Amino acid sequence: AYYLKIDDRDKEEILKKFPEGEVTVLPSSVHETLILKTCEDENIEMLQEMVYSVNRAEVSREEFLSDDVFHYNAKTGKLFRMF
């Protein structure tokens, strides 16, 4: 099981860097999460494969967070798994 939390401080930081508020979240490990601007032509399958491959090659079981890719809307506070 994994737990991904975006608190108010994170939300403010995301909105500063991405004023439109739409981002793609790549959970790398319990220590690192990558945030990318969401693009219309985003290849979710490729991003998910990348997360999966890096997790298998570089992330220990203890630090594993998720193989999933998420979409976050900082304006509404909604986070959901992209599939």
Side-chain angles (χ1 to χ4, degrees), residues 9-46:
R9 189 181 73 219
D10 297 329
K11 181 179 175 177
E12 289 175 16
E13 193 67 29
I14 290 168
L15 285 169
K16 269 199 255 179
K17 292 182 180 178
F18 307 99
E20 65 286 341
E22 301 282 330
V23 295
T24 299
V25 180
L26 307 176
S28 180
S29 74
V30 295
H31 303 291
E32 180 179 45
T33 298
L34 305 174
I35 307 286
L36 311 170
K37 179 181 177 183
T38 298
C39 300
E40 284 185 32
D41 61 348
E42 198 165 61
N43 185 336
I44 303 306
E45 193 173 301
M46 187 266 316

Side-chain angles (χ1 to χ4, degrees), residues 9 18 37 59 66 70 72 74:
R9 189 181 73 219
F18 307 99
K37 179 181 177 183
V59 179
S66 173
F70 296 86
Y72 179 64

